[in-house]
Amino acid sequence: MKNYKIGLLRGDGIGPEIVDSAVKVLKAVGEKYQIDFTFTPYLIGGAAIDACGEPLPKETVEGCLASDSVLLGAVGGPKWDTLPGNFRPEKALLGIRAAMGLFTNLRPAKLYPALKGACPLREDIVKDGFDIMIVRELTGGIYFGERGYRQGKYGEEAFDTEAYSRMEIERIARVAFETARKRRKKLTSIDKANVLETSRLWRKIVHEIAAEYPDVEVSDMLVDNAAMQLVRNPSQFDVIVTSNMFGDILSDEASQITGSIGMLASASLSDNKRGLYEPIHGSAPDIAGQNKANPIATILSAAMMLLYAFDEAAAAEAIVNAVDKVLEVGYRTADLTRENALSTTEITDKIIEAL
Ligand code: IPM
Ligand code: MG
């Protein structure tokens, strides 16, 4: 029997509950498809700050690097919000992305027919549905550029810098073209080339790489226009490729038009197959520990892990189909309905039943 070692980063807030749900689903699907998993938890974020005084302990980094793949819940919460930048739980997320070399972040956003009613867009806008894959650069740009405080013209001032190298743009562009090639072969590169030098280099290099992919139709879009197009006509998009910060913002926007941020999974990948899988939502401290959170984004992240990290396409598809089925039948967590909401554990059990 195959065995995969999975590092679990439960994190903070609803993190532990949703990760435990996904683990249950993985175990269930593993039984059906003869896959064995070994799960090892490691501390991250506020939980790590509380236990050992730092958001990303060395053991966590080493444990993740030694795992076949990593499943993450969420980090952060009001308790740690006033800590200095370097000691914030979010710093751990950036740290683990950098340590594992996870330069690609895949964030699929599709409209589930069963959730059309939860979509805030007008019916005529989403009549054809949408199925978007956002390819976000994850270890460069302003998130990782030089930053600090200094005395400026008007006294105290803070600064962050956006920098992108040719190498970083080339490799994310290739991932995006490869991704588009396996889908509807349409790539939109999003930048702010009318203002930013980094965007002008980005655009130039994307078009150089495009020559290697004549079968993919590529176009550029300015980020402000893209923010508008996402709510005006989301079905025009297939694959989107963009920088770390623009991808952060646009993926939250894309998640909202699917009906709930509680539905969106993500995969963060390096050159090798190892990767880190996490829902795109945060730790939702307001509902933490109440068995109310929607675990579907994390469960779908586990499905992405099966597909991308382990090539277990059948098992991955079984999870995706089970989620579809449960939604079709009408089961909903509290983020998606006002009446008869199921708890985290209840909807998890329904998904397992549907497997
Ligand atoms: C995300 C989150 C993170 C990011 C935060 C928590 C650092 O918003 O994964 O989208 O900005 O990348
Ligand atoms: Mg974000």
Side-chain angles (χ1 to χ4, degrees):
M1 188 135 105
K2 283 165 288 188
N3 181 288
Y4 301 115
K5 281 190 295 185
I6 300 181
L8 295 181
L9 302 175
R10 289 194 173 87
D12 310 316
I14 58 170
E17 302 160 61
I18 55 180
V19 168
D20 289 349
S21 283
V23 165
K24 271 203 238 167
V25 173
L26 278 173
K27 283 184 178 155
V29 87
E31 268 171 38
K32 221 175 134 192
Y33 290 87
Q34 313 297 312
I35 311 166
D36 199 24
F37 301 102
T38 309
F39 298 101
T40 314
Y42 299 100
L43 289 168
I44 193 166
I49 295 174
D50 288 350
C52 40
E54 49 177 333
L56 185 62
K58 202 169 106 233
E59 298 75 54
T60 298
V61 175
E62 285 168 357
C64 289
L65 287 172
S67 302
D68 293 323
S69 192
V70 178
L71 187 65
L72 172 91
V75 296
K79 184 173 170 196
W80 309 281
D81 266 350
T82 49
L83 292 171
N86 269 342
F87 291 94
R88 290 181 60 104
E90 289 82 356
K91 187 73 189 172
L93 201 50
L94 303 186
I96 195 73
R97 287 172 182 168
M100 293 177 71
L102 306 171
F103 66 89
T104 299
N105 187 205
L106 302 178
R107 297 191 159 183
K110 76 168 187 183
L111 186 65
Y112 285 82
L115 295 186
K116 261 195 182 156
C119 172
L121 299 182
R122 250 184 11 232
E123 224 178 290
D124 59 308
I125 297 178
V126 289
K127 63 177 185 320
D128 302 326
F130 57 84
D131 179 356
I132 306 170
M133 177 66 90
I134 299 181
V135 179
R136 170 190 177 194
E137 199 290 327
L138 200 61
T139 51
I142 199 164
Y143 273 58
F144 291 89
E146 203 190 315
R147 73 193 56 208
Y149 286 85
R150 64 190 170 201
Q151 282 303 310
K153 205 160 97 193
Y154 304 107
E156 183 186 24
E157 121 183 340
F159 66 97
D160 299 273
T161 36
E162 166 106 345
Y164 267 113
S165 64
R166 164 170 286 276
M167 181 278 288
E168 290 172 301
I169 301 169
E170 279 181 359
R171 68 181 178 183
I172 195 71
R174 284 213 170 80
V175 172
F177 278 105
E178 292 290 338
T179 307
R181 185 168 261 179
K182 290 191 205 113
R183 294 171 43 107
R184 300 193 303 278
K185 300 190 171 44
K186 193 172 166 212
L187 177 62
T188 311
S189 172
I190 294 175
D191 62 36
K192 188 70 185 170
N194 52 350
V195 177
L196 302 178
E197 219 50 77
T198 40
S199 284
R200 288 190 272 268
L201 182 66
W202 180 283
R203 202 176 264 216
K204 183 175 105 176
I205 292 173
V206 165
H207 286 277
E208 285 173 22
I209 303 291
E212 299 167 26
Y213 299 88
D215 52 323
V216 176
E217 177 200 330
V218 62
S219 59
D220 306 298
M221 192 179 278
L222 295 172
V223 64
D224 47 350
N225 183 27
M228 186 171 75
Q229 295 299 333
L230 266 175
V231 290
R232 208 185 71 94
N233 177 16
S235 66
Q236 72 184 283
F237 296 107
D238 175 15
V239 177
I240 284 174
V241 63
T242 193
S243 66
N244 204 343
M245 172 117 107
F246 294 160
D248 177 46
I249 298 167
L250 294 176
S251 61
D252 267 27
E253 187 187 1
S255 77
Q256 255 326 287
I257 60 172
T258 67
S260 170
I261 193 165
M263 297 293 301
L264 287 228
S266 89
S268 303
L269 307 171
S270 62
D271 272 329
N272 60 32
K273 293 179 121 193
R274 192 195 306 134
L276 182 148
Y277 298 79
E278 59 173 311
I280 83 151
H281 61 70
S283 57
D286 52 320
I287 56 162
Q290 298 173 30
N291 196 20
K292 262 193 197 165
N294 183 351
I296 291 181
T298 317
I299 291 169
L300 292 174
S301 299
M304 286 184 92
M305 174 190 286
L306 288 172
L307 182 64
Y308 290 100
F310 307 141
D311 258 328
E312 300 282 358
E317 206 183 307
I319 294 181
V320 172
N321 290 341
V323 168
D324 279 350
K325 221 185 282 172
V326 162
L327 293 173
E328 287 297 335
V329 179
Y331 294 120
R332 303 279 187 273
T333 39
D335 52 320
L336 291 168
T337 180
R338 266 187 257 272
E339 289 149 33
N340 305 323
L342 294 193
S343 67
T344 310
T345 42
E346 282 167 343
I347 199 142
T348 305
D349 291 341
K350 293 289 177 208
I351 292 169
I352 290 171
E353 270 169 43
L355 272 173

